[in-house]
Amino acid sequence: MGALISGNRRLELTAMGERAARAATGLLSLGIGEGDLIALYLRNDFPFVEASTAASLLGVYATPVNWHYTPDEAAYLFENSGAKAIVIHADLIEPIRSALPPGVPVLVVPTPPEIAEAYGITPQPTPPGMLDWDTWLAGFEPYAGEPSTGGGTVIYTSGTTGRPKGVRRHPPTPEQVEAYVRVLMRGFGFVGYGDPQDVVTVVTGPMYHSAPNAYGLFAARAGGTAILQPRFDPEELLQLIETHKVTHLHMVPIMFHRLLKLPEDVKRKYDLSSLKFVVHAAAPCPPPIKREMIEWWGPVIEEYYGATEVGIVVSCNSEEWLAHPGTVGKPIPEAEVRIIDKEGRDVPQGEVGEVVSRNRFINDFTYHGDDQKRRD
């Protein structure tokens, strides 16, 4: 069984599970239950996984919030989501204090030293009069009920064209749960490369984004070891790979670009031979950048394409990409991908159209609080 690692801190997954079960009991004591929602205003830290896991036990939705938000943006999300509780790092309170909804419990996580160092801030304790996360957990027995199959993560997305919309999936059938797990486990490389409990990964991106969120939580739930990098730093990542013998990574192209800009002696300084599966997504990767990464790290670079609403729909490995530079791969067995014109007709090969996709075996979704936007 694996662990969560952050800086010099280590939390075994068995201990994390017990803390999450205590948090579930605590949420019940606040009147929070199946179908409700909590907001996570946190950087990558142990309580992020604990609170997400606690929510899943109860069928509660967890919503990670972009902690770069202005007070107006944060207030909108708290109100739109109907959050029944907010879990927040101590140093993030003051910038959005005016946005905290009256009467909603605020559970405060003291800012740990490695996060404070990464962002050049002074470690902050829990402010007087607010609930301290660790103290609060200690007051409850672990939840002993049957785990729910409902709930999940509500990710707010598409904010570039207006207010962001929360993607909330309908309660899944057991078959849909199985399909969802199968797609992500395969897409993230947690199957086909030995025992999932032997996976060692670094969560390189902020977990308020949908892909790092799903990736980090699935790594932990599969029993692997997840190192939570407070803030992406290219040389630090190479150090972590060598020190912890990292096997899996999830990245975005800008990280490749920053890695390739390192001096040659730094790039060659670290042993990266433990890497088995490095997947990237979220943005187009310039072919020269990807080719250089494959030449440096070997044919371990994978890619997928998808969206928060539909999940992973296509994928390709290094060999497929080298044979067709620029491709994002072929549809996975569970997905349907079409390119259509304005009338919804498939366009001939080589012509421009709109990409539409769906995952046939993953439960449908709505936009939280506004199902009409799902139909617009």
Side-chain angles (χ1 to χ4, degrees):
M1 183 62 72
L4 300 176
I5 296 173
S6 182
N8 294 322
R9 298 181 300 142
R10 180 184 178 97
L11 180 66
E12 301 299 327
L13 291 184
T14 50
M16 186 281 294
E18 195 223 2
R19 287 172 60 82
R22 290 180 183 275
T25 305
L27 292 177
L28 286 174
S29 78
L30 298 174
I32 298 171
E34 189 161 7
D36 290 332
L37 184 147
I38 63 172
L40 310 181
Y41 209 89
L42 295 166
R43 298 188 177 92
N44 293 1
D45 196 3
F46 299 163
F48 196 115
V49 182
E50 294 167 353
S52 298
T53 305
S56 70
L57 287 172
L58 302 176
V60 170
Y61 290 89
T63 292
V65 187
N66 184 337
W67 46 265
H68 296 288
Y69 273 174
T70 65
D72 175 67
E73 291 168 331
Y76 165 78
L77 192 144
F78 293 147
E79 179 181 356
N80 182 265
S81 67
K84 297 292 183 69
I86 298 168
V87 188
I88 186 170
H89 271 129
D91 69 284
L92 298 175
I93 294 172
E94 283 308 316
I96 62 151
R97 185 181 283 272
S98 63
L100 296 174
V104 173
V106 178
L107 304 165
V108 183
V109 176
T111 308
E114 68 275 9
I115 290 178
E117 181 180 357
Y119 289 94
I121 58 178
T122 302
Q124 296 293 317
T126 298
M130 290 191 171
L131 294 172
D132 178 85
W133 177 255
D134 286 338
T135 303
W136 181 74
L137 286 188
F140 300 101
E141 292 297 318
Y143 175 70
E146 285 293 318
S148 172
T149 58
T153 302
V154 173
I155 298 287
Y156 273 73
T157 185
S158 299
T160 54
T161 54
R163 292 291 197 182
K165 303 179 291 293
V167 178
R168 176 169 175 156
R169 298 201 179 279
H170 299 315
T173 65
E175 293 76 18
Q176 288 171 330
V177 171
E178 181 182 350
Y180 180 65
V181 171
R182 181 175 66 246
V183 168
L184 287 188
M185 291 287 279
R186 186 178 63 230
F188 293 155
F190 296 160
V191 293
Y193 294 85
D195 191 329
Q197 295 191 13
D198 293 332
V199 166
V200 181
T201 188
V202 181
V203 180
T204 56
M207 292 179 71
Y208 60 70
H209 283 308
S210 59
N213 182 282
Y215 185 82
L217 295 179
F218 261 79
R221 290 169 187 173
T225 293
I227 302 158
L228 308 181
Q229 192 173 25
R231 187 177 194 176
F232 179 74
D233 177 271
E235 184 172 0
E236 181 189 57
L237 177 62
L238 299 181
Q239 293 171 338
L240 291 171
I241 294 170
E242 179 179 80
T243 300
H244 296 279
K245 300 192 183 317
V246 169
T247 60
H248 289 61
L249 289 171
H250 186 293
M251 306 183 73
V252 294
I254 188 62
M255 295 176 181
F256 291 165
H257 181 73
R258 291 184 60 190
L259 282 160
L260 290 168
K261 287 180 67 176
L262 290 170
E264 283 300 316
D265 62 327
V266 173
K267 287 159 58 175
R268 307 301 171 188
K269 178 179 176 182
Y270 299 98
D271 179 4
L272 311 179
S273 61
S274 60
L275 289 174
K276 296 180 180 179
F277 192 97
V278 178
V279 68
H280 70 96
C285 186
I289 296 293
K290 184 156 181 176
R291 189 178 298 277
E292 282 191 67
M293 285 300 300
I294 294 173
E295 290 172 354
W296 178 15
W297 285 12
V300 298
I301 310 289
E302 308 264 338
E303 183 173 3
Y304 69 81
Y305 171 87
T308 301
E309 288 86 346
V310 297
I312 297 172
V313 292
V314 303
S315 67
C316 71
N317 59 32
S318 291
E319 290 80 3
E320 291 167 333
W321 187 90
L322 289 169
H324 302 280
T327 184
V328 291
K330 299 177 181 178
I332 64 173
E334 295 83 0
E336 178 184 356
V337 181
R338 298 170 58 204
I339 303 176
I340 61 173
D341 61 20
K342 292 181 179 179
E343 283 71 44
R345 299 171 301 198
D346 291 339
V347 301
Q349 185 174 352
E351 292 194 12
V352 175
E354 181 181 7
V355 179
V356 293
S357 62
R358 66 171 179 155
N359 206 307
R360 292 189 295 268
F361 301 103
I362 292 181
N363 56 314
D364 204 359
F365 74 94
T366 186
Y367 288 121
H368 182 77
D370 196 346
D371 190 58
Q372 184 57 41
K373 288 181 179 175
R374 171 71 169 81
R375 309 179 196 289
D376 292 342

